Amino acid sequence: MLEIIKTTLKLLFRNKGFWFFLIITPVLSTFILKVKQENISAYENVGETEIVELDDIDSKVAYYGGKGKYVLKVYDASGSDLSEYMLNKLLQSGAFTVCRADVPDMTRADMEAHLHVDGFDDRMGAAIYVEKNFDEKIIDNAEDALTVYVMSDDERHKLLENEIKMCTGQIRNAYMMGNEDIVDTLNKMNEAIPSKEVRSIAGKDKRELTIEQLDKRTLMGYAFAILTLGYVFGGIFIAHTAIKEEKDMVFTRIKLTNLTNGQYFTAKFICGAIVSLLLTFIMAVCTVTFGEDDMGISMLSFLVMIFLMGLIFSSISLLLGILLGNVMSANVAAFTLWSMSALLAGLYFPLDHTTKVVRAFAYMMPQKWFLEATEMIMTKDNKVYFMLLCITVAYMVITLSLGSVGIKYKNYE
């Protein structure tokens, strides 16, 4: 058994393809972890407590529509304190996300022409045009002061219309009181109303992450995807040695030494574990060399996770390669395993709101559990290491058992 391990490792280290995946995947993963980006998750909590100020009229508001928010894109030609008050009242209702573009020189006709473009290139619940002479027109006729354009079939547009009617009614009441500063009068009227505090609360079986943690979790998913490629092909290259030994009748001679199928597969599995350890070591060296930035979790926890993930994927790809018994088929299977598992595990984009069937498939993918472990470590959940141990042992038991049975079945054929 020891001789099989030595021979397999010698063949691996002579393979240029093996060295390519061994070095390139950790380097790429390290660079991905160093990327500084504002992920789409950064928009999830924006607009809950203040108006979102858009850079220009072409800025997209669809990014702010996460978690089922009803997004309002406001073309504000007024920019007065009174229009600011009205928009804040819509925001404070808690039902809308208000995104405002300052357009002092835009007429209603220009806005409607631009809205045709937004209707195709953007997504929003409704658009609002605030007239330039808003302060004067809101007193005489609210319909002349602003115009609401419903841009979706969401029934909450009725709630928007009611909120606008209530707000315009308040403004008229304040005007009827005869005070010169209407906004000051409105603020005094609202002092008796209890203030609202917005808090994010995680639902059942959910972990509430900050925007920074969500960004780091996303980058960690990308890094896991690249590392999985290295682990999968590391196992496939070991499977290549087993395929060659079978074709060259080396495996038949090995069987004459009374080595069992389970022992043979275990020897190959140990080679896979060594490859996983090497890849994890190179990942650690790359991280230290290029600078150890804050990954959201400790360096030790990260290395333990990727090593355990490597054990799982190297053994699964080894099993596939041995069962298929063909180098080309094994390579195709390895690429399919990598691409589909990363996709279904939600490494590229979250699958929380997909169908139950897709979510069930997601939990069959090893990367999904390691992504969950990342969240648990970020939220300081102490059950994470026991969970990782159980998941790794479960996959190991399945692959080792199937590997022994698979080799026996191929010999029988």
Side-chain angles (χ1 to χ4, degrees):
M1 188 167 158
L2 183 61
E3 194 63 33
I4 295 174
I5 297 173
K6 290 181 180 179
T7 304
T8 302
L9 291 176
K10 286 180 182 178
L11 293 173
L12 277 178
F13 293 146
R14 293 172 186 170
N15 191 321
K16 294 180 181 178
F18 169 75
W19 282 105
F20 174 82
F21 285 101
L22 187 66
I23 295 174
I24 294 300
T25 51
V27 172
L28 286 177
S29 299
T30 304
F31 280 121
I32 286 175
L33 289 173
K34 304 298 176 186
V35 171
K36 302 296 184 183
Q37 68 169 17
E38 189 176 74
N39 192 268
I40 191 68
S41 61
Y43 297 93
E44 288 191 353
N45 297 320
V46 174
E48 291 184 349
T49 57
E50 59 184 18
I51 296 172
V52 178
E53 300 293 346
L54 302 177
D55 295 332
D56 52 58
I57 59 173
D58 295 319
S59 298
K60 300 294 184 289
V61 300
Y63 303 120
Y64 303 96
K67 297 182 179 179
K69 296 177 181 177
Y70 191 87
V71 180
L72 305 177
K73 185 171 185 179
V74 180
Y75 300 84
D76 192 355
S78 173
S80 66
D81 292 339
L82 200 55
S83 67
E84 177 86 11
Y85 171 81
M86 188 196 68
L87 296 180
N88 274 299
K89 288 297 288 184
L90 292 177
L91 176 68
Q92 291 166 12
S93 69
F96 315 107
T97 296
V98 180
C99 303
R100 176 173 56 191
D102 290 322
V103 288
D105 300 324
M106 178 176 279
T107 64
R108 185 193 299 270
D110 294 336
M111 178 268 173
E112 290 178 349
H114 189 274
L115 193 59
H116 285 292
V117 178
D118 278 349
F120 289 101
D121 296 344
D122 204 353
R123 184 175 182 179
M124 64 196 78
I128 300 176
Y129 176 70
V130 180
E131 291 284 352
K132 189 173 186 66
N133 299 323
F134 174 81
D135 291 14
E136 294 80 11
K137 292 184 177 181
I138 192 68
I139 304 302
D140 298 330
N141 189 354
E143 294 182 359
D144 294 334
L146 75 161
T147 308
V148 178
Y149 302 84
V150 178
M151 304 294 290
S152 71
D153 56 359
D154 194 317
E155 292 295 326
R156 283 179 288 181
H157 70 85
K158 298 178 182 178
L159 179 61
L160 172 62
E161 294 169 0
N162 290 332
E163 287 291 337
I164 291 176
K165 288 179 181 178
M166 290 176 60
C167 186
T168 54
Q170 285 182 338
I171 294 174
R172 287 179 179 178
N173 289 337
Y175 176 78
M176 294 299 292
M177 294 176 68
N179 294 333
E180 294 183 0
D181 192 340
I182 299 178
V183 176
D184 184 60
T185 303
L186 289 167
N187 289 331
K188 289 180 179 178
M189 291 170 59
N190 291 325
E191 285 180 358
I193 301 175
S195 60
K196 181 183 70 174
E197 181 181 2
V198 178
R199 289 190 179 184
S200 296
I201 300 175
K204 183 181 179 182
D205 299 327
K206 294 287 184 179
R207 286 171 288 275
E208 189 69 23
L209 302 179
T210 64
I211 292 175
E212 292 77 11
Q213 288 174 331
L214 285 169
D215 289 336
K216 290 170 184 175
R217 173 192 175 277
T218 302
L219 291 176
M220 194 70 72
Y222 298 153
F224 283 166
I226 300 299
L227 286 171
T228 300
L229 182 64
Y231 290 128
V232 166
F233 275 92
I236 282 297
F237 286 126
I238 297 173
H240 288 178
T241 65
I243 294 170
K244 183 175 176 58
E245 287 170 353
E246 183 181 2
K247 292 186 181 298
D248 295 342
M249 303 298 290
V250 174
F251 180 69
T252 302
R253 293 194 294 272
I254 291 174
K255 290 288 291 181
L256 296 175
T257 63
N258 294 325
L259 190 75
T260 64
N261 295 324
Q263 290 174 324
Y264 178 78
F265 187 82
T266 301
K268 297 295 184 181
F269 168 76
I270 292 173
C271 293
I274 294 172
V275 170
S276 299
L277 187 62
L278 283 173
L279 206 150
T280 304
F281 174 74
I282 294 174
M283 184 68 194
V285 172
C286 289
T287 305
V288 173
T289 302
F290 295 115
E292 184 179 348
D293 293 339
D294 183 17
M295 297 183 292
I297 61 176
S298 68
M299 183 70 171
L300 180 60
S301 299
F302 174 68
L303 294 177
V304 169
M305 279 201 303
I306 63 174
F307 173 68
L308 294 179
M309 188 172 66
L311 284 180
I312 294 173
F313 274 101
S314 61
S315 61
I316 293 176
S317 58
L318 171 62
L319 172 63
L320 285 176
I322 290 177
L323 291 180
L324 291 172
N326 181 277
V327 172
M328 184 57 67
S329 299
N331 291 340
V332 173
F335 184 81
T336 304
L337 171 66
W338 167 68
S339 57
M340 294 305 297
S341 64
L343 178 65
L344 290 174
L347 299 187
Y348 303 127
F349 46 83
L351 302 175
D352 298 333
H353 303 292
T354 54
T355 63
K356 292 182 179 179
V357 175
V358 175
R359 292 201 297 271
F361 274 111
Y363 279 102
M364 294 174 63
M365 305 298 121
Q367 302 103 313
K368 174 66 175 178
W369 295 101
F370 287 94
L371 209 56
E372 290 277 331
T374 302
E375 293 184 6
M376 294 173 72
I377 293 173
M378 288 180 175
T379 55
K380 303 186 185 305
D381 191 337
N382 296 325
K383 296 180 289 186
V384 59
Y385 298 105
F386 180 72
M387 184 268 284
L388 286 175
L389 180 62
C390 292
I391 292 298
T392 305
V393 170
Y395 277 105
M396 291 298 96
V397 170
I398 293 172
T399 51
L400 288 174
S401 302
L402 291 178
S404 302
V405 173
I407 293 175
K408 184 177 181 179
Y409 176 74
K410 288 183 65 67
N411 290 337
Y412 177 76
E413 286 184 328

